[in-house]
Amino acid sequence: MSAVSFKLTCTLAAPVSLNHPWIHLDGIINHLRMMRRLGRDYYSLSTKGYWQPSVAQHDKFQQVLAYRQELPFASISHFEPADAPLKTVQYFKRFEANDFPTKRKKIDIASGHYRNWMMRTVYVPAHTVSFYGRGQIGRVRQLLGDLTHVGNDTRVGWGQLVGWELEELEREQDRSIVWEGIAQRPIPVRMLKHYTDSVRLAWKAPYWERSNIEECAPPGTEVELA
Amino acid sequence: MMSPQWRETFKLWAQTAEYAQHLQNARERIENALVRSSQPYVSYSGGKDSTVMMHLVLQQAPDATVWHWYYGKYFVPEDIEAQVIAIAESMNAMLAVETSERYDIEKRDAMNIWGHEFFTRVAPRMVAEGYDRAFIGIRAEESLRRKRRVRARRNTTAIQETWPLEDWRWQDVWAYIVQHNLPYLEMYDAQSELVGYQHSRFSTFFDPQFIHIGTDTVDNVLHWRWRNVD
């Protein structure tokens, strides 16, 4: 089955919380694949490393998105409206003693279930978020059936989706790696013939893994693939 | 770059009686402190408060040493540090920069190196060298801890401290910068778009010491270029 270029448009019910200026489509796809593969065990993985698929598993993994060398055909997020400003909010959970239904005299608010916390979130109040990709569109559609939220802190409701739409594109409309000479995702400079800017970035999922960091042309840079 | 609206706002604030009073208080504090000291130094971080304070002190004591601590490239990107130095040089400050080699060894795992080095090594040496007055740009408005420190007139070392801006508000600081056209770190404008000028502050980046107040998410989004320092 041949790979197809596509555009994924997610309609948002809530602002998207960010822990990075953009979201990666391949990160979302791999997350959904891991959820399907490992089920509840996905939440019990060691925090000390990351799950390395075997060669056979890796080949299967690559059947969803197409790859150019090791680089997935998957763009970063594009928010609409494009000029939606970044916002920030600080929120907290605090134990309220009034009417607490127990006879316990002391409640631990430093740890455990009633722990008090406060956090700051950066969010973007967008209407939609789009991604461009290339791969097995049927498999992508199947996986997206599990997608309910995008972005950071989804457990508290950020980035909730109303729905999503997958649109097939002609190959020449593909914007998943480079579009009109501009990088659409982090691309390692070793894969480029020419680039105007470079930064040390993670360039493949999982994006939190240190070993995936190397000198890359960031999205928005003028580039020419090698 | 500061928006024209904010610039105009701070210019108008500079015309208020409150600002004039705070400015006069700061100048008097500096004058009184200089009368009672022979070898003062100015503690300069590069942030907006210490920039304003340095400008005020150097007007009365141009030969005062300006002391700056560099937190290393893992906590302060090199181009921001270059701006910090350039701001001090633009005021013809006699700048003394110190750091610790532990920053390059411990990288982002480094915890409170400044506190340890300053109180055990730097401060005792400065006392021995004859420094008898430290100008520090803290403001009571910044936090409850600073408010209490100012109220208790508590010095942190054997060197007598003066806090020229102790009663200043954030508007006073920006009004002074705009009024005197002082240079300031570019990152303030980007950060202010997100959190407002009243909350923007310069501190170490990607510092695990401040994760509990959520600085890491702001750093990850605004300062992503410096997230993975080699």
Side-chain angles (χ1 to χ4, degrees), chain B residues 138-154 166 201:
Chain B
I138 61 168
R139 295 183 292 114
E141 184 194 52
E142 287 178 283
S143 68
L144 191 58
R145 179 180 282 195
R146 291 197 170 177
K147 190 176 184 176
R148 285 175 178 154
R149 180 173 159 192
V150 167
R151 194 180 290 161
R153 319 305 301 174
R154 194 169 60 234
E166 63 175 64
R201 56 188 303 187

Side-chain angles (χ1 to χ4, degrees), chain A residues 93-95 107-118, chain B residues 212:
Chain A
K93 165 178 164 273
R94 188 175 62 188
F95 176 73
I107 299 292
D108 184 359
I109 58 168
S111 63
H113 186 71
Y114 299 106
R115 181 177 182 271
N116 286 353
W117 51 253
M118 180 173 72
Chain B
H212 67 285

Side-chain angles (χ1 to χ4, degrees), chain A residues 39-176:
Chain A
R40 300 296 298 175
D41 291 342
Y42 185 43
Y43 297 101
S44 310
L45 291 175
S46 165
T47 55
K48 301 293 180 190
Y50 74 98
W51 181 73
Q52 293 273 16
S54 67
V55 175
Q57 286 166 332
H58 192 259
D59 287 347
K60 265 190 162 180
F61 227 77
Q62 294 208 347
Q63 285 171 8
V64 180
L65 290 172
Y67 284 73
R68 185 184 192 277
Q69 297 170 26
E70 296 170 80
L71 195 64
F73 279 84
S75 78
I76 59 157
S77 51
H78 299 272
F79 292 103
E80 282 293 333
D83 60 351
L86 286 173
K87 301 274 186 183
T88 182
V89 63
Q90 197 147 333
Y91 55 103
F92 60 87
K93 165 178 164 273
R94 188 175 62 188
F95 176 73
E96 293 289 351
N98 289 345
D99 302 324
F100 184 65
T102 178
K103 290 177 181 171
R104 283 162 65 184
K105 295 285 184 193
K106 287 188 178 177
I107 299 292
D108 184 359
I109 58 168
S111 63
H113 186 71
Y114 299 106
R115 181 177 182 271
N116 286 353
W117 51 253
M118 180 173 72
M119 67 171 69
R120 179 175 287 280
T121 285
V122 178
Y123 66 94
V124 54
H127 299 307
T128 63
V129 56
S130 305
F131 303 88
Y132 293 88
R134 181 170 173 77
Q136 305 301 329
I137 199 163
R139 192 80 181 94
V140 171
R141 184 172 279 117
Q142 202 182 20
L143 285 171
L144 288 174
D146 297 342
L147 187 66
T148 58
H149 298 73
V150 290
N152 191 34
D153 273 337
T154 56
R155 67 193 183 282
V156 288
W158 296 106
Q160 189 177 4
L161 303 188
V162 175
W164 51 265
E165 193 182 332
L166 209 51
E167 180 189 346
E168 280 190 35
L169 300 175
E170 296 297 326
R171 177 71 204 250
E172 53 273 18
Q173 292 295 311
D174 189 280
R175 302 184 188 190
S176 48

Side-chain angles (χ1 to χ4, degrees), chain B residues 26-52:
Chain B
R27 286 180 170 144
E28 284 174 6
R29 283 184 199 110
I30 294 167
E31 192 178 344
N32 291 338
L34 288 173
V35 167
R36 296 196 302 273
S37 70
S38 56
Q39 195 177 344
Y41 78 89
V42 178
S43 183
Y44 168 65
S45 69
K48 64 184 192 305
D49 298 344
S50 65
T51 298
V52 165

